[in-house]
Amino acid sequence: MNLKRSAAMFGVLAAGAMALTACGSDDNSASGTSVDTSASNAACEGKDTLSAAGSSAQKNAMDAFTSTYIAVCKDKGKTVNVAYNPSGSGDGRTQFIAKQIDFAGSDSAIKAEQAAAAKERCAGNDAWNLPLVFGPVALAYNLDGVDNLTLNGEVIAKIFNGGIKKWNDPAIAALNSGATLPDQDITVIVRSDSSGTTDNFQQYLTTASKGAWTQGAGSDFVGGIGEGAKGSAGVAQAVAGAPGSITYVEKSFADQNKLKAAQIDSGAGAVALTEDSAAKAISGAAFKTEGVGDLTLDLKSIYGTTEAGAYPLVLATYEIVCSKGYDADTSAAVKSFLTSAANEGQAELSAQGYVPLPATVKDKLNASISAIG
């Protein structure tokens, strides 16, 4: 998944999942920022360079975070850098477990056997999932004459598992009173590669479709239909060139390809995809555990929202860190960088197509970052 890119930025992202740039680590030491860093609480302590890898969806966000962090620490007389490789969520988790990087970016929380292996990597301490980057996912479509398409969870599920095949199907027409829907086949475009965006989209369908989606979730598309394209850029470009098509893709890619995005009606009226509507859904997020520490989200609290004005199809990306078990220099640097990223680092995310952290999430995140040992 990936989020907004400045034209050039997202061209880089294009190749991978949302904000992906090539697959090598990035040296951001020359980056600049326009963010006011004077009030930062980042201590700029610990080792000078952190290493991380994983989700391509957060690549542009990591670039922005790193630029800001460099500026923060420069003001405090220290030169720092964060080398982030957008190699994919699975690879990030694997490298983290193997102690090849300091923290991982992942579109899914680390769990089960991987969580047990991460605990060993963290000297017997739990690894924490800290949600730092949120990005809305668009239902991007190409349909002449239909500029304000509305869908709901049940209809979306039936489109993506083949239960609805025509754009003028009565179920779509019922949600789009007054629109002229063509008697045209729906061409479904899906990710051909394993993707956190696919996993989250299918989790959304499982939650919001009222039983219409029974195929399950996972990083590979399991709907049984559709034409595959690689990466977020690939599916967006495919829809742009195929009248009658639809896909799920990060909003930034939809914007870059000038694609229309469907509104979603979760029961309280149609909601367009905007930063505010996505933030409203995120603000209502619940966590699987209470208190300070691991902040794995209960995604059903987002995907199943029926709150008026809330857009539910949002991708969360975690930073996976050791709660304890780092050496002192690494622990200090991880805490310092994440403190900056969770606060002044959020200032440039809107321009990248991400949704800055709502206060309800930011407060919990800052408490957990402070508790890293």
Side-chain angles (χ1 to χ4, degrees), residues 206-232:
T206 300
T207 300
S209 69
K210 298 181 179 179
W213 185 265
T214 60
Q215 287 76 14
S219 298
D220 295 314
F221 183 73
V222 294
I225 65 164
E227 299 177 7
K230 186 174 182 179
S232 297

Short mmCIF file of all heavy atoms in Angstrom, two decimals, residues 206-232:
data_model
loop_
_atom_site.label_atom_id
_atom_site.label_comp_id
_atom_site.label_asym_id
_atom_site.label_seq_id
_atom_site.Cartn_x
_atom_site.Cartn_y
_atom_site.Cartn_z
N THR A 206 -14.68 -8.92 5.34
CA THR A 206 -15.14 -9.90 6.32
C THR A 206 -15.99 -9.24 7.40
O THR A 206 -17.02 -9.78 7.83
CB THR A 206 -13.94 -10.61 6.96
OG1 THR A 206 -13.18 -11.27 5.94
CG2 THR A 206 -14.39 -11.64 7.98
N THR A 207 -15.59 -8.05 7.80
CA THR A 207 -16.29 -7.34 8.87
C THR A 207 -17.55 -6.64 8.40
O THR A 207 -18.59 -6.67 9.08
CB THR A 207 -15.35 -6.28 9.50
OG1 THR A 207 -14.20 -6.93 10.04
CG2 THR A 207 -16.06 -5.50 10.60
N ALA A 208 -17.50 -6.02 7.21
CA ALA A 208 -18.54 -5.08 6.80
C ALA A 208 -19.55 -5.62 5.80
O ALA A 208 -20.50 -4.91 5.45
CB ALA A 208 -17.89 -3.83 6.21
N SER A 209 -19.39 -6.85 5.36
CA SER A 209 -20.22 -7.33 4.24
C SER A 209 -21.49 -8.06 4.65
O SER A 209 -22.21 -8.58 3.79
CB SER A 209 -19.39 -8.26 3.35
OG SER A 209 -19.11 -9.48 4.03
N LYS A 210 -21.76 -8.14 5.94
CA LYS A 210 -22.97 -8.84 6.42
C LYS A 210 -23.03 -10.28 5.92
O LYS A 210 -24.08 -10.79 5.55
CB LYS A 210 -24.23 -8.09 6.00
CG LYS A 210 -24.30 -6.69 6.58
CD LYS A 210 -25.57 -5.97 6.17
CE LYS A 210 -25.65 -4.57 6.77
NZ LYS A 210 -26.85 -3.84 6.38
N GLY A 211 -21.88 -10.92 5.89
CA GLY A 211 -21.82 -12.33 5.50
C GLY A 211 -21.65 -12.58 4.02
O GLY A 211 -21.53 -13.75 3.60
N ALA A 212 -21.59 -11.54 3.21
CA ALA A 212 -21.45 -11.73 1.76
C ALA A 212 -20.04 -12.17 1.38
O ALA A 212 -19.83 -12.73 0.31
CB ALA A 212 -21.82 -10.45 1.01
N TRP A 213 -19.07 -11.85 2.24
CA TRP A 213 -17.69 -12.26 1.97
C TRP A 213 -17.33 -13.40 2.91
O TRP A 213 -17.21 -13.23 4.12
CB TRP A 213 -16.73 -11.09 2.21
CG TRP A 213 -15.30 -11.40 1.84
CD1 TRP A 213 -14.31 -11.84 2.67
CD2 TRP A 213 -14.71 -11.29 0.55
NE1 TRP A 213 -13.13 -12.01 1.98
CE2 TRP A 213 -13.35 -11.68 0.67
CE3 TRP A 213 -15.18 -10.90 -0.71
CZ2 TRP A 213 -12.47 -11.69 -0.42
CZ3 TRP A 213 -14.31 -10.90 -1.79
CH2 TRP A 213 -12.97 -11.29 -1.64
N THR A 214 -17.17 -14.59 2.35
CA THR A 214 -16.86 -15.78 3.15
C THR A 214 -15.50 -16.36 2.81
O THR A 214 -15.11 -17.39 3.34
CB THR A 214 -17.93 -16.87 2.92
OG1 THR A 214 -17.95 -17.22 1.52
CG2 THR A 214 -19.30 -16.38 3.33
N GLN A 215 -14.77 -15.68 1.95
CA GLN A 215 -13.51 -16.22 1.45
C GLN A 215 -12.36 -16.08 2.44
O GLN A 215 -11.34 -16.74 2.31
CB GLN A 215 -13.12 -15.55 0.13
CG GLN A 215 -13.95 -15.97 -1.07
CD GLN A 215 -15.35 -15.34 -1.08
OE1 GLN A 215 -15.63 -14.40 -0.35
NE2 GLN A 215 -16.22 -15.86 -1.92
N GLY A 216 -12.50 -15.19 3.41
CA GLY A 216 -11.43 -14.98 4.38
C GLY A 216 -10.52 -13.83 3.99
O GLY A 216 -10.84 -13.02 3.12
N ALA A 217 -9.36 -13.77 4.66
CA ALA A 217 -8.44 -12.66 4.43
C ALA A 217 -7.05 -13.23 4.14
O ALA A 217 -6.90 -14.39 3.78
CB ALA A 217 -8.43 -11.72 5.63
N GLY A 218 -6.05 -12.40 4.28
CA GLY A 218 -4.68 -12.81 3.98
C GLY A 218 -4.04 -11.88 2.97
O GLY A 218 -4.72 -11.09 2.30
N SER A 219 -2.75 -11.98 2.83
CA SER A 219 -2.00 -11.07 1.96
C SER A 219 -2.19 -11.34 0.48
O SER A 219 -1.86 -10.51 -0.36
CB SER A 219 -0.50 -11.14 2.29
OG SER A 219 -0.28 -10.73 3.62
N ASP A 220 -2.72 -12.52 0.14
CA ASP A 220 -3.04 -12.84 -1.26
C ASP A 220 -4.55 -12.74 -1.44
O ASP A 220 -5.32 -13.14 -0.57
CB ASP A 220 -2.56 -14.24 -1.62
CG ASP A 220 -1.05 -14.37 -1.55
OD1 ASP A 220 -0.36 -13.47 -2.08
OD2 ASP A 220 -0.56 -15.35 -0.95
N PHE A 221 -4.96 -12.20 -2.59
CA PHE A 221 -6.39 -12.04 -2.85
C PHE A 221 -7.05 -13.41 -3.00
O PHE A 221 -6.58 -14.26 -3.75
CB PHE A 221 -6.61 -11.22 -4.11
CG PHE A 221 -8.05 -10.94 -4.40
CD1 PHE A 221 -8.76 -10.02 -3.64
CD2 PHE A 221 -8.71 -11.62 -5.41
CE1 PHE A 221 -10.10 -9.78 -3.89
CE2 PHE A 221 -10.05 -11.38 -5.67
CZ PHE A 221 -10.74 -10.46 -4.91
N VAL A 222 -8.16 -13.61 -2.28
CA VAL A 222 -8.81 -14.93 -2.25
C VAL A 222 -10.23 -14.89 -2.77
O VAL A 222 -11.00 -15.84 -2.58
CB VAL A 222 -8.79 -15.52 -0.81
CG1 VAL A 222 -7.37 -15.83 -0.38
CG2 VAL A 222 -9.46 -14.58 0.18
N GLY A 223 -10.61 -13.80 -3.46
CA GLY A 223 -11.98 -13.67 -3.93
C GLY A 223 -12.34 -14.58 -5.08
O GLY A 223 -13.52 -14.77 -5.38
N GLY A 224 -11.34 -15.13 -5.75
CA GLY A 224 -11.62 -16.11 -6.80
C GLY A 224 -11.86 -15.52 -8.18
O GLY A 224 -12.07 -16.27 -9.14
N ILE A 225 -11.88 -14.19 -8.31
CA ILE A 225 -12.09 -13.57 -9.62
C ILE A 225 -11.07 -12.44 -9.79
O ILE A 225 -10.26 -12.19 -8.90
CB ILE A 225 -13.51 -12.99 -9.78
CG1 ILE A 225 -13.72 -11.82 -8.80
CG2 ILE A 225 -14.57 -14.06 -9.57
CD1 ILE A 225 -14.91 -10.97 -9.15
N GLY A 226 -11.14 -11.77 -10.92
CA GLY A 226 -10.34 -10.57 -11.10
C GLY A 226 -9.11 -10.76 -11.95
O GLY A 226 -8.59 -11.87 -12.10
N GLU A 227 -8.67 -9.65 -12.51
CA GLU A 227 -7.44 -9.61 -13.27
C GLU A 227 -6.35 -9.03 -12.38
O GLU A 227 -6.55 -8.01 -11.73
CB GLU A 227 -7.61 -8.73 -14.51
CG GLU A 227 -8.69 -9.25 -15.46
CD GLU A 227 -8.90 -8.33 -16.65
OE1 GLU A 227 -8.11 -7.36 -16.81
OE2 GLU A 227 -9.84 -8.57 -17.43
N GLY A 228 -5.21 -9.68 -12.33
CA GLY A 228 -4.17 -9.28 -11.42
C GLY A 228 -3.21 -8.25 -12.01
O GLY A 228 -2.93 -8.26 -13.21
N ALA A 229 -2.73 -7.37 -11.16
CA ALA A 229 -1.69 -6.41 -11.53
C ALA A 229 -0.77 -6.26 -10.32
O ALA A 229 -1.21 -6.36 -9.17
CB ALA A 229 -2.28 -5.07 -11.93
N LYS A 230 0.49 -6.00 -10.57
CA LYS A 230 1.47 -5.98 -9.49
C LYS A 230 1.60 -4.59 -8.88
O LYS A 230 1.77 -3.60 -9.58
CB LYS A 230 2.83 -6.44 -10.00
CG LYS A 230 3.86 -6.58 -8.88
CD LYS A 230 5.16 -7.17 -9.39
CE LYS A 230 6.17 -7.34 -8.25
NZ LYS A 230 7.44 -7.93 -8.71
N GLY A 231 1.52 -4.56 -7.57
CA GLY A 231 1.75 -3.33 -6.84
C GLY A 231 0.59 -2.36 -6.92
O GLY A 231 -0.31 -2.48 -7.74
N SER A 232 0.64 -1.37 -6.04
CA SER A 232 -0.40 -0.35 -6.02
C SER A 232 -0.41 0.44 -7.32
O SER A 232 -1.47 0.77 -7.86
CB SER A 232 -0.18 0.60 -4.84
OG SER A 232 -0.28 -0.10 -3.63
#
